[in-house]
């Protein structure tokens, strides 16, 4: 992985773009979007992955207001984080539950287009249902996704499946499983992966190797440390992640790194509908953004010899 990074950066231009750092805001709970946008602006986070909160035609963000609020703070929408629950999911064995998922994601795709987002992510099955119904969940999820794929295509939105650890969901826990699912969907509008460092620590043998092998299918990467807290507050080797991303040219495409430090505990989703702790969130964003940019600068500024010595590999 270090060798791949060193070889790749030899071809980098002097004005090579940096990784696009964003934030997945559903972890901010019920906080007003203007408050969230001001916080992101303050700490130099220029992209936002919006909570897919259009649970009906009458609930959730409104495009014009959303664009106005974000525009006031120089924030651009990267994409939408779709919420897959036991009441609306692609892999469910009850047709009316899958039907709710179809209608929900059609609304999110329309909204994503209206606010300039480029992707819509989702799990293959519900978060909060770790026990499978049967052995056909992958196939059923793919069949249901195919029913909304044309809607994604019409909106110009890229669909991305997120592998999620088995403690939280029953199906698709690794990149390899996500790729199998995408092969079954077999539609260009749902052909990508949303990575998540916290889940990758559980499902992948080596995060850097997984990014090198499959990162070309990834359009967003959720960031959190090993304890699902702010970057820098755990044991994650963030340098490995950054090197792998630059090695595959991730910084050059319409690709994002969206912080999603939800905190330790078995159920981070409970906070989604609760009032936020503004001081805690300020510190969370400050530390994460600062750590990410500091490590990026260190990695890009390190010499080949320094990197080889640090990771104890023979110099190229």
């Amino acid at each position: 992985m270090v060798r791949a990074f060193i070889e790749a950066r030899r071809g980098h231009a002097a004005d090579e773009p940096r990784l696009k750092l964003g934030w997945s805001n559903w972890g901010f709970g019920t906080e007003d979007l203007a408050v969230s946008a001001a916080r992101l602006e303050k700490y130099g986070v220029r992209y936002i992955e919006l909570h897919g909160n259009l649970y009906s035609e009458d609930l959730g963000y409104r495009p014009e207001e959303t664009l106005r609020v974000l525009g006031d703070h120089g924030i651009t929408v990267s994409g939408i984080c779709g919420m897959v629950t036991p009441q609306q999911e692609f892999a469910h064995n009850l047709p009316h539950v899958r039907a709710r998922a179809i209608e929900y994601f059609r609304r999110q795709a329309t909204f994503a287009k209206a606010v300039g987002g480029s992707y819509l992510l989702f799990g293959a099955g519900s978060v909060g249902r770790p026990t499978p119904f049967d052995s056909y969940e992958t196939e059923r999820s793919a069949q249901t996704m195919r029913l909304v794929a044309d809607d994604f295509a019409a909106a110009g939105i890229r669909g991305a499946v997120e592998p999620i650890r088995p403690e939280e969901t029953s199906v698709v826990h690794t990149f390899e499983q996500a790729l199998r699912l995408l092969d079954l969907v077999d539609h260009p509008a749902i052909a990508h992966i949303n990575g998540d460092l916290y889940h990758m620590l559980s499902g992948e043998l080596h995060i850097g190797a997984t990014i090198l092998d499959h990162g070309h299918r990834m359009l967003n990467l959720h960031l959190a440390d090993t304890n699902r807290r702010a970057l820098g507050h755990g044991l994650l080797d963030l340098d490995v992640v950054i090197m792998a991303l630059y090695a595959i040219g991730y910084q050059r495409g319409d690709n994002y790194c969206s912080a999603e430090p939800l905190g330790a505990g078995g159920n981070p989703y409970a906070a989604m509908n609760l009032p936020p702790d503004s001081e805690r969130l300020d510190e969370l964003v400050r530390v994460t953004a600062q750590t990410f940019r500091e490590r990026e600068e260190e990695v890009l500024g390190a010499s080949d010899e320094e990197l080889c010595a640090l990771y104890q590999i023979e110099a190229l």
Side-chain angles (χ1 to χ4, degrees):
M1 186 275 306
V2 177
R3 292 179 182 276
F5 169 71
I6 290 173
E7 292 173 356
R9 74 173 178 178
R10 289 175 178 172
H12 288 178
D15 59 347
E16 193 74 20
R18 296 299 174 91
L19 295 168
K20 300 179 184 70
L21 177 62
W23 203 281
S24 185
N25 80 320
W26 72 268
F28 289 169
T30 59
E31 181 174 79
D32 187 90
L33 183 60
V35 177
S36 300
R39 178 186 299 113
L40 297 181
E41 179 186 24
K42 179 179 180 180
Y43 296 113
V45 179
R46 307 310 301 268
Y47 299 94
I48 189 168
E49 178 183 279
L50 287 171
H51 175 192
N53 66 1
L54 277 79
Y55 296 105
S56 76
E57 295 295 339
D58 301 316
L59 292 173
Y61 297 127
R62 294 292 178 261
E64 290 185 4
E65 179 185 3
T66 298
L67 289 173
R68 177 184 58 77
V69 168
L70 296 178
D72 288 344
H73 298 281
I75 307 295
T76 299
V77 177
S78 55
I80 307 298
C81 184
M83 296 294 157
V84 184
T85 71
Q87 293 76 41
Q88 52 179 38
E89 61 163 308
F90 295 123
H92 207 282
N93 61 354
L94 295 179
H96 64 271
V97 177
R98 297 199 300 278
R100 281 198 292 266
I102 291 169
E103 293 306 312
Y104 168 81
F105 278 99
R106 282 173 175 162
R107 286 194 297 273
Q108 311 318 309
T110 300
F111 173 73
K113 177 181 179 180
V115 296
S118 68
Y119 67 83
L120 175 51
L121 68 90
F122 39 84
S126 169
V127 171
R129 185 182 61 76
T131 303
F133 292 117
D134 49 47
S135 60
Y136 301 103
E137 289 193 342
T138 298
E139 290 77 9
R140 199 159 51 236
S141 185
Q143 292 168 4
T144 313
M145 287 180 190
R146 204 176 300 124
L147 296 176
V148 298
D150 285 344
D151 298 281
F152 283 26
I157 299 300
R158 300 172 294 166
V161 174
E162 179 176 334
I164 298 173
R165 65 188 185 127
E167 292 81 2
E168 296 181 33
T169 193
S170 65
V171 61
V172 180
H173 309 128
T174 68
F175 271 50
E176 289 286 356
Q177 291 170 357
L179 290 170
R180 176 175 178 267
L181 171 66
L182 294 173
D183 284 344
L184 292 174
V185 176
D186 192 24
H187 194 292
I190 300 181
H192 293 85
I193 293 176
N194 182 85
D196 185 302
L197 293 179
Y198 185 71
H199 298 308
M200 292 170 75
L201 286 166
S202 172
E204 308 300 330
L205 292 177
H206 190 285
I207 290 177
T210 297
I211 292 173
L212 290 182
D213 291 341
H214 304 304
H216 63 287
R217 299 290 293 273
M218 188 171 71
L219 49 70
N220 183 59
L221 178 64
H222 281 161
L223 306 175
D225 217 306
T226 51
N227 49 16
R228 220 173 194 175
R229 298 182 188 274
L231 293 179
H233 282 182
L235 301 175
L236 178 71
D237 189 342
L238 184 57
D239 293 9
V240 165
V241 176
I242 292 171
M243 282 190 283
L245 292 172
Y246 274 97
I248 64 171
Y250 191 78
Q251 75 281 8
R252 295 173 178 166
D254 187 19
N255 307 313
Y256 301 87
C257 297
S258 301
E260 194 192 44
L262 301 174
N267 183 16
Y269 307 96
M272 182 170 58
N273 297 309
L274 295 176
D277 180 339
S278 295
E279 289 187 7
R280 183 186 67 82
L281 293 178
D282 284 349
E283 183 68 2
L284 193 65
V285 175
R286 183 189 69 79
V287 171
T288 295
Q290 178 178 316
T291 300
F292 185 85
R293 290 307 185 195
E294 284 181 353
R295 297 320 308 160
E296 185 180 37
E297 290 296 326
E298 285 289 331
V299 166
L300 296 178
S303 68
D304 295 357
E305 293 75 16
E306 289 171 333
L307 290 173
C308 289
L310 180 63
Y311 287 92
Q312 298 181 338
I313 65 173
E314 185 177 348
L316 298 181

